[in-house]
Amino acid sequence: MPLLVMKFGGTSVATLDRIRRAAKRVGVEVAKGYDVIVIVSAMSGKTNELVGWVKETSPLFDAREYDAVVSSGEQVTAGLMALTLQEMDVPARSWQGWQVPVQTTSAHSAARIEDIQTENINGKFAEGMRVAVVAGFQGVSPEGRITTLGRGGSDTTAVAFAAAFGAERCDIYTDVDGVYTTDPRISSKARKLDRIAFEEMLELASLGAKVLQTRSVELAMRYKVKLRVLSSFDEQTDTSGTLVCDEEEIMESNVVAGVAYSRDEAKMTLISVADRPGIAAAIFGPLSESGVNVDMIVQNISEDGRTDMTFSLPTDQVARAEKAMEDAKTSGSINYHDLVTDTDVAKVSVVGIGMRSHTGVAAKMFAALNAEGINIKVITTSEIKVSVLIDRKYMELAVQALHDAFELEKVA
Amino acid sequence: MPLLVMKFGGTSVATLDRIRRAAKRVGVEVAKGYDVIVIVSAMSGKTNELVGWVKETSPLFDAREYDAVVSSGEQVTAGLMALTLQEMDVPARSWQGWQVPVQTTSAHSAARIEDIQTENINGKFAEGMRVAVVAGFQGVSPEGRITTLGRGGSDTTAVAFAAAFGAERCDIYTDVDGVYTTDPRISSKARKLDRIAFEEMLELASLGAKVLQTRSVELAMRYKVKLRVLSSFDEQTDTSGTLVCDEEEIMESNVVAGVAYSRDEAKMTLISVADRPGIAAAIFGPLSESGVNVDMIVQNISEDGRTDMTFSLPTDQVARAEKAMEDAKTSGSINYHDLVTDTDVAKVSVVGIGMRSHTGVAAKMFAALNAEGINIKVITTSEIKVSVLIDRKYMELAVQALHDAFELEKVA
């Protein structure tokens, strides 16, 4: 029988009523003739409660015990979902990570899936089971201990199952009804996309459109798993939600798929750094070791053997970055005249695979921002993305202006 | 190193603070040089919440899914207890039933332990681990699914581990400080027993002194596991609590160890039943099939081929028993003139292994009750127990009178 993977996030299984609603969605697919693997998250709020207990007990906790405690949330939802399906006369049973088994690395609380054994579950499908309910976010280490994949890991579980079992599609049920051209709270003209390419989704996800976990999109792209994002709170049709798929499956599309933003950005500039071979490593090595996630990097033209180095980073990592730079200066590994920090910036990006074959996207973007009098502080470009750092107070205005300039409210 | 098993019930691990207090008790034993296996229950209230969700989802639930959901409570406590011990620099880790593994039958939600593998845990002790924290109440079936042992099963887990690992003692930490000669709420003269024989504890437990689960006492008796019941809320010394042990280890003891009672008793009498071979089976067969737990049975002397049959049962099973008897009469399998039900009775018992070698206990009991004007409705005796059914309104008076008559406030 054809197989679907359906994943329900925490808000979609937050109460027994919502579990029942989700189970009905599963029942619809079973009635169509699909065998279904359901991946469930913990009931909304549960994981936070469990994590809170662990951290209160042991601030520098043993991640193996953290995983044992925190994985219990998905275990409960899986059992309750299986019971709900059984009440609807759908043959179902629950599986925990170690029962499948989902083999992972031993990197507790941030493990990676290494292998999913399909024999046990496929055996039960062959015996007439129609739905395997699997606890998301968890697996088992080579040492036989429970592991978790890190927050949001249930998306990754879902995609990995879809790849391992050769599912026709992986439906991710969440509290939004799809991927939009931009945040509808910022532009009322934002339009739901019917389809988006994996690469575009990756850029949008890592830029802060928190619909899908980045790793799950990477995995889907590698194994060509068709991902559909849709709302568990709306009535569904076959064209509901947004399909995240290979670009070849997208016939017509705008050059730009969407406008993304990130509010919590800061900009740091090292003024007058000695410009010598290895200077970039001397700056960004210590930052990386301090756990600072540097995003954009711009180096000015060198004058008299000295240059300015500018980079962006999350606002809450500024103090750590400043300390790392001062320590590096004290130790003599780098030398600079001044360190200037600007915590009032935001990043705005336009993303689209069409940019590969169309020129002029960056120019159009700069013109649109200029027309609104918005000054650009830093620019970076990739094959399918142009990002700019601007004053935070202009962020909403910039997003609206770019959405209008690229006419994203219209279907191509 | 010598080994202890320490079990903490739900009220002893109800909050992170109480888990910390329990961990301190464990630390004391580790400091004395013991390796310790800690068995934990779910945090107080947790199991009820999970059971509630299961029953709301599916009134006639699949017991395999029930077990998957309900066992998560102990899993959480085990992880938190291990983390707490680690914070105290005690090398500890958690184990779930399937990780030990604790092999059980497939009788989900009422499974029996078949085998406990000691290799994994002993291997960790050999590597320097001092405390293995094991989730109580759970195991794994031959099919690889999580099983639970039924309510109160953590006591049984503790005794089974003590037997399997040859522990020096099994300490059961609970919210009472030991076993008393009778309920202190009924007689202010009730005295904590330093020691009690397994057989006596079994009679007291099954009569409603809910300190230890009956199965755990049976198991301790079979494997000669020394059980100590003590409070997790008091400061402890080596003579705290009550030791439940082999009668040979009790040097001096009263003839009667304690007075037990059970409030929720009912009495039913079938008036004028045809007294023929097989009549007992014809009455008690249908009752058993209806799930009625008959306790005491008395048959009057037969007159003219007819007799009266009286039996006691829990009050909440009266309706079921009446229906079973009426159905049996309708079907013609039994015949009686009348069915008389008395739901206002209570059972009071005196228990003691000393009764084996001392005569006159029953006579003394009846005299004491008679002196208070209490009428006895039904009497049953066993080797170490005499029980009577009386009007419920006299129950407290009877317990006090018997406690006085056998001078249980005094140590032998």
Side-chain angles (χ1 to χ4, degrees):
Chain A
M1 262 185 269
L3 183 82
L4 271 192
V5 171
M6 302 172 75
K7 183 255 170 181
F8 294 94
T11 53
S12 305
V13 293
T15 62
L16 297 187
D17 263 350
R18 290 194 182 173
I19 291 175
R20 223 167 284 135
R21 199 185 317 187
K24 274 187 197 151
R25 279 294 312 147
V26 176
V28 168
E29 303 294 353
V30 169
K32 284 187 201 162
Y34 285 105
D35 281 343
V36 180
I37 297 176
V38 173
I39 310 290
V40 288
S41 298
M43 294 162 88
S44 188
K46 251 315 147 204
T47 303
N48 286 341
E49 179 186 59
L50 295 167
V51 169
W53 285 345
V54 167
K55 291 189 171 167
E56 192 181 333
T57 300
S58 178
L60 300 168
F61 52 79
D62 177 346
R64 295 166 296 190
E65 301 299 347
Y66 171 98
D67 284 356
V69 172
V70 171
S71 63
S72 67
E74 282 73 15
Q75 174 175 344
V76 170
T77 321
L80 294 175
M81 174 65 86
L83 287 166
T84 307
L85 288 161
Q86 289 175 358
E87 279 295 302
M88 294 161 48
D89 290 325
V90 176
R93 72 158 272 198
S94 70
W95 303 80
Q96 290 170 55
W98 61 271
Q99 289 176 318
V100 175
V102 177
Q103 305 278 5
T104 74
T105 60
S106 298
H108 282 274
S109 86
R112 298 187 81 91
I113 295 175
E114 302 251 283
D115 187 41
I116 294 174
Q117 286 180 37
T118 56
E119 296 75 20
N120 292 333
I121 288 180
N122 275 336
K124 290 290 171 188
F125 277 133
E127 287 172 20
M129 177 186 70
R130 299 300 305 280
V131 181
V133 185
V134 177
F137 168 67
Q138 61 177 251
V140 62
S141 75
E143 295 78 27
R145 299 198 68 172
I146 293 180
T147 53
T148 67
L149 311 180
R151 297 304 288 264
S154 290
D155 288 347
T156 307
T157 302
V159 173
F161 269 79
F165 285 82
E168 194 174 298
R169 204 175 60 238
C170 179
D171 286 347
I172 307 282
Y173 283 86
T174 176
D175 46 6
V176 297
D177 68 345
V179 181
Y180 278 73
T181 51
T182 195
D183 187 337
R185 289 169 301 181
I186 291 186
S187 171
S188 59
K189 296 180 189 164
R191 174 175 58 84
K192 181 177 81 65
L193 293 161
D194 290 334
R195 296 187 172 216
I196 187 170
F198 290 125
E199 291 87 342
E200 292 169 336
M201 190 65 215
L202 270 179
E203 294 291 359
L204 291 172
S206 61
L207 286 169
K210 284 166 188 139
V211 180
L212 281 174
Q213 204 215 6
T214 308
R215 266 171 68 193
S216 70
V217 181
E218 287 171 358
L219 208 60
M221 184 163 75
R222 182 166 355 136
Y223 292 103
K224 308 253 185 217
V225 171
K226 277 189 208 175
L227 262 180
R228 198 168 60 150
V229 177
L230 61 185
S231 165
S232 57
F233 301 107
D234 300 339
E235 284 302 311
Q236 299 301 335
T237 67
D238 279 345
T239 58
S240 295
T242 298
L243 192 72
V244 189
C245 58
D246 205 80
E247 58 182 288
E248 288 160 18
E249 296 181 71
I250 304 176
M251 289 296 105
E252 303 279 346
S253 74
N254 290 325
V255 175
V256 168
V259 180
Y261 66 90
S262 167
R263 199 184 300 267
D264 294 322
E265 299 283 325
K267 178 170 79 77
M268 296 184 88
T269 303
L270 294 170
I271 310 273
S272 191
V273 185
D275 189 10
R276 54 171 173 81
I279 184 64
I283 294 169
F284 296 107
L287 288 171
S288 167
E289 281 157 25
S290 304
V292 175
N293 297 309
V294 170
D295 179 19
M296 307 164 89
I297 300 176
V298 176
Q299 184 176 353
N300 265 11
I301 287 167
S302 184
E303 267 179 58
D304 301 330
R306 300 196 81 87
T307 186
D308 299 336
M309 190 74 86
T310 299
F311 54 89
S312 71
L313 69 168
T315 313
D316 60 3
Q317 297 179 359
V318 163
R320 220 183 293 168
E322 284 175 344
K323 183 169 186 313
M325 290 297 90
E326 281 153 20
D327 289 352
K329 190 177 184 182
T330 308
S331 76
S333 65
I334 59 172
N335 185 311
Y336 57 84
H337 283 188
D338 202 3
L339 175 59
V340 180
T341 302
D342 181 355
T343 55
D344 273 329
V345 293
K347 181 166 68 169
V348 175
S349 309
V350 296
V351 172
I353 49 171
M355 288 161 66
R356 288 203 195 114
S357 48
H358 283 73
T359 55
V361 169
K364 194 171 185 176
M365 180 181 189
F366 303 153
L369 294 174
N370 184 48
E372 300 290 347
I374 300 170
N375 187 36
I376 298 171
K377 294 165 174 261
V378 177
I379 302 168
T380 57
T381 59
S382 79
E383 218 183 347
I384 66 165
K385 182 183 68 169
V386 181
S387 299
V388 296
L389 221 53
I390 58 174
D391 277 336
R392 189 173 302 147
K393 62 183 173 185
Y394 296 127
M395 194 189 80
E396 287 82 357
L397 177 62
V399 168
Q400 290 158 3
L402 293 171
H403 201 274
D404 287 347
F406 290 101
E407 299 183 302
L408 299 186
E409 73 280 9
K410 294 184 192 161
V411 181
Chain B
M1 263 186 270
L3 184 83
L4 271 192
V5 171
M6 301 171 75
K7 183 257 171 178
F8 294 94
T11 54
S12 305
V13 292
T15 63
L16 298 188
D17 263 350
R18 289 194 182 175
I19 291 176
R20 222 166 285 137
R21 199 185 319 189
K24 275 186 198 153
R25 278 294 312 146
V26 176
V28 167
E29 302 294 353
V30 169
K32 284 186 202 163
Y34 284 105
D35 280 344
V36 180
I37 296 175
V38 173
I39 310 289
V40 289
S41 296
M43 293 161 89
S44 188
K46 248 323 146 195
T47 303
N48 287 341
E49 180 187 60
L50 294 167
V51 169
W53 286 345
V54 167
K55 290 190 173 167
E56 191 182 333
T57 300
S58 177
L60 300 169
F61 52 80
D62 177 345
R64 295 166 297 191
E65 301 299 346
Y66 171 98
D67 284 356
V69 172
V70 172
S71 62
S72 67
E74 282 73 15
Q75 173 175 344
V76 170
T77 321
L80 294 176
M81 175 64 85
L83 287 166
T84 307
L85 288 161
Q86 290 175 358
E87 280 293 301
M88 294 163 46
D89 290 325
V90 176
R93 72 158 271 197
S94 71
W95 303 80
Q96 291 171 54
W98 60 271
Q99 290 176 318
V100 174
V102 177
Q103 305 279 4
T104 73
T105 60
S106 298
H108 282 275
S109 85
R112 297 188 81 90
I113 295 175
E114 302 251 284
D115 187 39
I116 295 175
Q117 286 179 36
T118 55
E119 296 76 21
N120 292 332
I121 288 180
N122 275 335
K124 290 288 171 189
F125 277 133
E127 288 173 18
M129 177 184 71
R130 298 299 305 280
V131 181
V133 185
V134 177
F137 168 67
Q138 61 178 249
V140 62
S141 75
E143 295 79 28
R145 300 199 67 172
I146 293 179
T147 53
T148 66
L149 310 180
R151 297 305 286 264
S154 290
D155 287 348
T156 306
T157 302
V159 173
F161 269 78
F165 285 81
E168 193 174 298
R169 204 174 62 237
C170 179
D171 285 347
I172 307 282
Y173 283 86
T174 175
D175 47 6
V176 297
D177 68 346
V179 181
Y180 277 73
T181 50
T182 197
D183 187 337
R185 289 170 300 183
I186 291 185
S187 170
S188 58
K189 296 180 189 163
R191 174 176 57 86
K192 182 177 80 67
L193 294 161
D194 289 333
R195 298 188 171 216
I196 187 170
F198 291 124
E199 291 87 341
E200 291 169 336
M201 189 66 214
L202 271 177
E203 294 291 0
L204 291 172
S206 60
L207 286 169
K210 284 168 188 138
V211 179
L212 281 174
Q213 205 215 5
T214 308
R215 265 170 68 193
S216 70
V217 180
E218 286 171 358
L219 207 59
M221 184 163 75
R222 188 174 341 142
Y223 293 103
K224 308 252 184 219
V225 171
K226 276 189 210 175
L227 261 180
R228 196 167 61 148
V229 177
L230 62 184
S231 165
S232 57
F233 301 107
D234 300 339
E235 285 301 311
Q236 299 301 334
T237 67
D238 279 347
T239 57
S240 295
T242 298
L243 191 72
V244 189
C245 57
D246 205 80
E247 58 182 284
E248 287 160 19
E249 296 180 71
I250 304 177
M251 287 297 105
E252 303 279 345
S253 73
N254 290 322
V255 175
V256 168
V259 180
Y261 65 89
S262 167
R263 199 184 302 267
D264 295 322
E265 299 283 324
K267 177 171 80 75
M268 297 186 87
T269 303
L270 294 169
I271 309 272
S272 191
V273 185
D275 188 9
R276 54 171 173 80
I279 184 64
I283 294 170
F284 297 107
L287 287 172
S288 167
E289 281 157 26
S290 304
V292 174
N293 296 310
V294 170
D295 178 19
M296 306 163 89
I297 300 175
V298 176
Q299 184 175 355
N300 266 10
I301 287 165
S302 184
E303 268 180 57
D304 302 331
R306 300 196 81 86
T307 185
D308 299 337
M309 190 76 84
T310 299
F311 54 89
S312 70
L313 69 168
T315 313
D316 60 4
Q317 297 179 359
V318 163
R320 219 182 296 169
E322 284 175 345
K323 182 169 187 313
M325 291 297 90
E326 280 153 19
D327 289 351
K329 189 176 185 182
T330 307
S331 76
S333 65
I334 58 171
N335 186 310
Y336 57 83
H337 282 188
D338 203 3
L339 174 59
V340 179
T341 303
D342 181 355
T343 55
D344 273 329
V345 292
K347 181 166 66 168
V348 175
S349 309
V350 296
V351 172
I353 49 171
M355 289 161 66
R356 288 203 196 112
S357 48
H358 282 74
T359 54
V361 169
K364 194 172 185 176
M365 180 182 191
F366 303 154
L369 294 173
N370 183 49
E372 300 291 346
I374 300 170
N375 187 37
I376 298 171
K377 295 170 170 251
V378 176
I379 302 168
T380 57
T381 60
S382 79
E383 217 184 347
I384 66 165
K385 181 183 67 168
V386 182
S387 299
V388 297
L389 222 53
I390 59 174
D391 278 337
R392 190 173 301 148
K393 63 183 174 185
Y394 296 126
M395 194 190 76
E396 287 82 358
L397 177 62
V399 168
Q400 290 157 4
L402 293 171
H403 200 274
D404 288 347
F406 289 102
E407 299 183 301
L408 299 186
E409 72 281 8
K410 295 184 192 162
V411 181

